[in-house]
């Protein structure tokens, strides 16, 4: 049997943050993860994260994972990888399979941060090869460089469905449609908008009737459902796809906590009943991150730190006053994240029709994934502005503010309340550095110049596909709905280190298209 | 969280449904209809259904189907899902080859 002051189960954002904090507070800490690579969900996330600087926003998920691992090693945490925690026994003992042997570890405190697993929905044909979880799709493409399929139907319009849907496009797959049984798109509007402008249709209030094929998925039929989840006859649509991706929610992996015998409750899955430090009904047993309730990596990191503070107090490494001080500091940061349209309290609500600022929310964005120009006008004023300037199409209250920091000229304002809708300050001069375009994790900022002469305007937009367009190349400008609008010429492609792999592409379009053209498709000559 | 299920409660007759043939537990190949019928035979808890039919007892240990099995039983009992107690979580939480346990004997 080996001993640590604290053993942490799971090396995701919650576990790694807990280990770092615990070690810093003087505890000898170990973190165990069953995977070969630490980072939990983070290692599959190639997109830039939301939040503010203190929450590591604007950094791509896997980079956050790397940073956390580095720090954990630097402060002296023992990181055990390929280490499956098999069981938990009283009073704070765990058994771990490492290589082909089993070791027992004991500790004064244990922090469980085992994350969550994907939910499934059984339907006719769901056991055919080709029906996979969105997490599996991510693992295949982002870790192993394998396309999960050629043509995909995504089921679920929460952030996971939206983000993975976009990553499938980036990997070169075709996405036939995104469907959801709910009447509204569940994830961030900005994530939906990225798909919509690539022409991906959304079918809300729809679910899968069946998947069919000879030994594998070859086609999938969906249909609209009524309030009682019954299919409405005559609404069936069939897609020739080889893959159905399920992104229908996550459920906490709380088996170890249940095994330990702590009190639990149901919240979309079994979660432990915890106090504000994440301590369960068993003294010295803590839970943090998704296992204590599905949230985000940003909140998981803070939750992990808070549990470490609780554990440090429990084991006598800090006194009560120090504990409360640390708690106040971290909970403030957590509080900032837990606000806005998608916060716990507001999740699933359909009666919210205005932003915190009192502006009408776009209903088209909820239904189709893009805004109409009329709806956007309530947020941005454009036509009278001369010269290049940002058009910020971020219209829902989400806790995120990298845009504000990215502008060294102070053109963009979010303020202390990081879930406020960002605004362009017209009194300041935009220098067209395009940092805001590349920094926005939602890819929702465009630089527009309404008049570049000869009846043309220019539109700069973020671009994260390969290959990049070339200067001088001609193609079609696409609208927010992904439909061809007009001929566009690429006049600039900017990449640099500060943009972190997001290219900013500028196209020239007829003047009257400056507020409609938002994306680009290379023209494929007819004879090709 | 879970309440004691009233065994005298009248849950009505078993009524076949269109999707009764769908596999719910893939590891042990158990259909929705089989689970629903088991409830009507008087197996009112997760543990009973598990011992009778083996759902959640395969390789995934209920990781994939657990929640779905629980929902189906709860619905048949006309109870919310949280009213139904989950099965007992036991080690090992992941499948471990017998060989690994065998190695432990040599250590003794
Ligand atoms: C597609 C997608 C996009 C996302 N985008 C964002 C985003 O933009 N911003 C954001 O903040 N969040 C995002 N998230 C959410 C975020 O990834 C999770 O909330 C976060 O990773 C939860 O952290 P965690 O540490 O609790 O769990 P995890 O990251 O799941 O880590 C848990 C770890 O514990 C390991 N483990 C479990 N059981 C055992 C055991 N018995 N023995 C050993 N190891 C074990 C697991 O294998 C895993 O490595 C996204 C999630 C997904 C799926």
């Amino acid at each position: 049997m080996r001993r640590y002051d604290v053993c942490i189960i799971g090396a995701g954002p919650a576990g790694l943050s807990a280990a770092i904090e615990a070690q810093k507070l003087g505890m000898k800490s170990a973190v165990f993860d069953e995977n070969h690579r630490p980072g939990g969900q983070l290692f599959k996330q190639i997109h830039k994260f939301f939040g503010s600087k203190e929450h590591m926003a604007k950094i791509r998920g896997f980079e956050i994972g790397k940073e956390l691992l580095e720090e954990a090693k630097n402060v002296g945490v023992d990181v055990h990888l390929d280490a499956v925690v098999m069981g938990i026994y009283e009073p704070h003992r765990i058994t771990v399979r490492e290589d082909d042997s089993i070791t027992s570890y004991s500790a004064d405190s244990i922090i469980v941060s085992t994350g969550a697993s994907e939910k499934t929905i059984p339907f006719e044909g769901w056991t055919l090869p080709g029906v996979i979880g969105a997490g599996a799709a991510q693992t295949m493409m982002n870790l192993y460089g394998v396309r999960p399929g050629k043509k995909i139907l995504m089921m679920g319009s929460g952030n996971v469905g939206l983000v993975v849907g976009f990553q499938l496009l980036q990997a070169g797959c075709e996405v036939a449609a995104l469907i959801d049984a709910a009447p509204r798109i569940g994830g961030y509007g900005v994530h939906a908008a990225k798909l919509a402008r690539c022409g991906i249709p959304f079918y809300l209030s729809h679910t899968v009737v069946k998947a069919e094929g000879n030994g594998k998925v070859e086609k999938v039929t969906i249909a609209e459902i009524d309030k009682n989840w019954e299919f409405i006859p005559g609404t069936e649509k069939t897609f020739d796809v080889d893959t159905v991706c399920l992104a229908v929610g996550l459920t906490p992996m709380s088996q170890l906590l249940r095994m330990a015998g702590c009190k639990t409750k149901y919240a979309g899955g079994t979660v432990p009943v915890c106090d504000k430090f994440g301590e369960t009904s068993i003294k010295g047993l803590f839970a943090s991150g998704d296992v204590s309730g599905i949230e985000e990596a940003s909140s998981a990191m803070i939750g992990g730190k808070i549990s470490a503070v609780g554990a440090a107090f429990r084991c006598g490494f800090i006194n009560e006053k120090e504990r409360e001080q640390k708690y106040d500091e971290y909970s403030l940061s957590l509080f900032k994240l837990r606000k806005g349209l998608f916060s716990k309290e507001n999740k699933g609500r359909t009666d919210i029709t205005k932003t915190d600022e009192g502006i009408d929310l776009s209903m088209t964005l909820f239904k189709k994934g893009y805004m109409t120009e009329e709806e956007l006008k309530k947020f941005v004023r454009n036509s009278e502005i001369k010269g290049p300037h940002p058009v910020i199409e971020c219209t829902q209250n989400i806790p995120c503010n990298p845009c504000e920091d990215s502008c060294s000229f102070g053109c963009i304002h979010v303020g202390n309340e990081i879930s406020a809708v960002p605004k362009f300050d017209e009194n300041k001069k935009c220098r067209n550095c395009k940092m805001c375009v590349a920094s926005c994790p939602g890819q929702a900022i465009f630089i527009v110049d309404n008049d570049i002469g000869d009846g043309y305007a220019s539109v700069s937009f973020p671009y994260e596909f390969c290959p990049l367009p070339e200067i001088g190349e001609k193609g079609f400008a696409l609208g927010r709905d992904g439909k061809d609008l007009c001929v566009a010429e690429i006049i600039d492609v900017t990449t640099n280190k500060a943009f972190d792999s997001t290219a900013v592409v500028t196209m020239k379009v007829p003047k009257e298209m400056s507020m409609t053209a938002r994306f680009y498709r290379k023209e494929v000559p007819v004879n090709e | 969280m879970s309440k004691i299920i009233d065994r005298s409660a009248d849950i009505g007759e078993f009524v076949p449904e269109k999707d009764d043939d769908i596999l719910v537990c893939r590891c042990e190949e158990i259909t929705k209809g089989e689970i629903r019928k088991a409830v009507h035979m008087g197996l009112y808890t997760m543990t009973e259904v598990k011992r009778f039919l083996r759902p959640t007892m395969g390789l995934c240990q209920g990781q994939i189907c657990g929640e779905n099995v629980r929902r189906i039983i709860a619905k048949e009992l006309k109870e919310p899902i949280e009213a139904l107690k989950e099965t007992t979580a036991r080690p090992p939480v992941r499948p471990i080859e017998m060989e690994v346990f065998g190695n432990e004997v040599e250590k003794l």
Side-chain angles (χ1 to χ4, degrees):
Chain A
M1 176 129 64
R2 292 174 61 186
R3 242 200 64 82
Y4 287 100
D5 292 324
V6 58
C7 281
I8 295 135
I9 312 172
L16 285 173
S17 306
I20 294 165
E21 183 73 14
Q23 189 78 24
K24 280 185 183 165
L25 293 172
M27 306 177 88
K28 185 72 204 116
S29 327
V31 51
F32 299 86
D33 198 289
E34 61 192 333
N35 297 297
H36 189 61
R37 291 201 217 187
Q41 292 292 333
L42 288 179
F43 264 89
K44 306 185 230 171
Q45 312 301 347
I46 56 169
H47 60 287
K48 295 179 177 173
F49 272 42
F50 287 76
S52 71
K53 233 190 212 154
E54 60 179 293
H55 309 116
M56 303 213 191
K58 196 181 95 176
I59 306 179
R60 297 184 189 272
F62 69 99
E63 300 281 2
I64 300 179
K66 275 193 209 158
E67 284 184 25
L68 287 175
L69 178 67
E70 281 292 297
E71 196 181 350
K73 287 192 169 155
N74 287 342
V75 298
V77 173
D78 271 356
V79 183
H80 296 249
L81 298 174
D82 293 313
V84 179
V85 177
M86 300 160 45
I88 186 164
Y89 305 86
E90 275 195 275
H92 305 121
R93 198 159 63 78
I94 55 173
T95 49
V96 184
R97 178 225 173 124
E98 289 170 280
D99 294 325
D100 277 346
S101 75
I102 297 168
T103 315
S104 214
Y105 293 86
S106 79
D108 294 331
S109 276
I110 287 183
I111 301 174
V112 178
S113 352
T114 44
S117 65
E118 294 186 280
K119 291 191 186 190
T120 55
I121 292 188
F123 48 80
E124 191 181 329
W126 82 294
T127 52
L128 281 173
V131 179
I132 60 172
Q138 261 198 331
T139 306
M140 289 169 81
M141 2 180 230
N142 302 345
L143 281 182
Y144 300 106
V146 175
R147 277 190 204 118
K150 285 203 179 78
K151 198 168 171 185
I152 289 133
L153 183 89
M154 177 63 75
M155 195 173 175
S157 72
N159 277 337
V160 174
L162 299 174
V163 168
V164 177
F166 189 71
Q167 290 174 0
L168 284 162
L169 292 176
Q170 289 177 307
C173 305
E174 206 180 315
V175 176
L178 220 128
I179 70 163
D180 201 309
R184 266 189 181 195
I185 292 173
Y188 294 170
V190 287
H191 278 321
K194 290 190 295 183
L195 286 162
R197 61 178 178 259
C198 291
I200 312 303
F202 287 83
Y203 292 95
L204 281 308
S205 302
H206 274 73
T207 193
V208 171
V209 181
K210 61 182 171 190
E212 299 165 275
N214 192 2
K216 58 179 196 289
V217 175
E218 284 167 354
K219 68 179 185 187
V220 176
T221 306
I222 66 166
E224 198 172 335
I225 49 172
D226 62 19
K227 281 193 200 88
N228 306 316
W229 284 69
E230 299 287 344
F231 293 118
I232 303 175
T235 60
E236 296 85 358
K237 286 163 207 73
T238 300
F239 298 90
D240 292 322
V241 294
D242 57 14
T243 306
V244 183
C245 229
L246 307 182
V248 292
L250 300 167
T251 186
M253 285 210 279
S254 52
Q255 293 91 328
L256 286 167
L257 291 159
R258 285 199 283 131
M259 202 180 288
C262 66
K263 262 201 203 115
T264 58
K265 63 178 182 196
Y266 186 86
T270 302
V271 296
V273 178
C274 293
D275 70 4
K276 66 177 186 181
F277 299 103
E279 190 163 22
T280 64
S281 58
I282 298 174
K283 272 212 172 85
L285 180 67
F286 294 80
S288 64
D290 277 355
V291 74
S292 59
I294 307 299
E295 266 187 278
E296 303 261 279
S298 33
S299 42
M301 289 188 270
I302 308 171
K305 287 186 197 171
I306 294 178
S307 318
V309 167
F313 170 76
R314 186 56 74 210
C315 304
F317 284 80
I318 55 173
N319 62 33
E320 195 166 346
K321 197 170 148 230
E322 289 167 311
R323 177 178 74 162
E324 294 307 316
Q325 259 169 7
K326 292 239 171 239
Y327 175 78
D328 288 345
E329 181 192 328
Y330 293 144
S331 63
L332 187 70
S333 172
L334 199 54
F335 180 70
K336 284 192 199 160
L337 281 175
R338 288 185 172 156
K339 292 192 103 177
L341 185 61
F342 298 88
S343 64
K344 252 187 206 162
E345 303 89 78
N346 293 338
K347 210 161 193 165
R349 272 178 69 178
T350 50
D351 58 326
I352 304 178
T353 55
K354 285 184 189 303
T355 67
D356 292 348
E357 292 81 0
I359 312 170
D360 290 334
L361 285 168
S362 160
M363 291 300 144
T364 321
L365 188 56
F366 284 130
K367 294 274 173 212
K368 297 186 169 160
Y370 59 86
M371 275 182 284
T372 64
E373 262 175 84
E374 283 314 303
E375 289 169 326
L376 185 66
K377 276 189 187 141
K378 295 178 180 164
F379 292 86
V380 292
R381 211 172 66 89
N382 169 58
S383 43
E384 308 92 78
I385 304 171
K386 290 212 163 56
H389 62 281
V391 171
I392 308 176
E393 306 196 357
C394 170
T395 60
Q396 295 172 333
N397 295 110
I398 53 179
C400 186
N401 71 356
C403 54
E404 184 172 43
D405 286 337
S406 73
C407 183
S408 351
F409 311 102
C411 295
I412 301 177
H413 182 73
V414 179
N416 268 340
E417 201 74 75
I418 64 166
S419 55
V421 167
K423 275 204 90 67
F424 166 53
D425 181 350
E426 289 175 32
N427 300 317
K428 302 260 166 66
K429 175 129 183 64
C430 167
R431 314 290 158 100
N432 199 16
C433 72
K434 303 180 178 126
M435 272 306 289
C436 55
V437 180
S439 301
C440 172
Q443 300 187 11
I445 304 183
F446 304 85
I447 302 270
V448 173
D449 190 337
N450 291 311
D451 187 2
I452 57 166
D454 297 334
Y456 285 101
S458 72
V459 177
S460 305
F461 54 93
Y463 198 82
E464 289 195 350
F465 291 92
C466 287
L468 288 177
E470 280 166 31
I471 295 175
E473 174 185 307
K474 280 193 181 154
F476 286 106
L478 310 180
R480 293 181 185 85
D481 57 0
K483 300 227 165 79
D484 290 351
L485 279 179
C486 56
V487 172
E489 184 187 331
I490 301 299
I491 54 173
D492 186 58
V493 179
T494 310
T495 53
N496 68 47
K497 202 150 177 263
F499 286 5
D500 185 13
S501 303
T502 308
V504 180
V505 175
T506 307
M507 61 184 171
K508 184 171 108 178
V509 292
K511 243 175 138 174
E512 58 279 13
M513 296 296 176
S514 71
M515 281 306 277
T516 33
R518 285 298 174 265
F519 207 57
Y520 170 83
R521 162 173 92 79
K522 189 176 175 174
E523 186 180 16
V524 185
V526 194
N527 55 1
E528 229 181 53
Chain B
M1 82 190 196
S2 48
K3 62 176 195 182
I4 294 163
I5 305 286
D6 176 6
R7 289 195 179 265
S8 63
D10 179 14
I11 61 163
E13 286 290 296
F14 170 80
V15 186
E17 283 176 14
K18 278 194 300 265
D19 56 357
D20 273 339
D21 288 339
I22 290 178
L23 281 183
V24 176
C25 170
R26 304 167 64 150
C27 304
E28 297 288 319
E29 304 194 336
I30 298 149
T31 64
K32 181 179 172 189
E34 286 175 294
I35 298 169
R36 294 179 53 240
K37 273 185 199 146
V39 176
H40 286 271
M41 288 165 78
L43 305 163
Y44 278 16
T45 66
M46 278 288 276
T47 305
E48 286 162 344
V49 174
K50 167 172 159 174
R51 298 219 169 127
F52 185 59
L53 289 177
R54 291 188 57 82
T56 80
M57 283 179 88
L59 198 63
C60 90
Q61 290 288 294
Q63 192 78 61
I64 294 171
C65 66
E67 172 117 351
N68 294 333
V69 174
R70 194 175 174 198
R71 179 165 291 118
I72 292 166
I73 302 174
K75 190 172 174 221
E76 225 43 47
L77 293 171
K78 302 187 175 68
E79 294 283 352
I81 183 164
E82 57 267 37
L84 208 64
K85 197 169 179 266
E86 275 181 291
T87 55
T88 313
R90 290 193 182 83
V93 290
R94 295 281 185 275
I96 304 282
E97 301 87 326
M98 288 312 290
E99 187 190 359
V100 177
F101 290 108
N103 292 342
E104 294 308 295
V105 178
E106 287 161 25
K107 281 194 204 163
L108 291 175

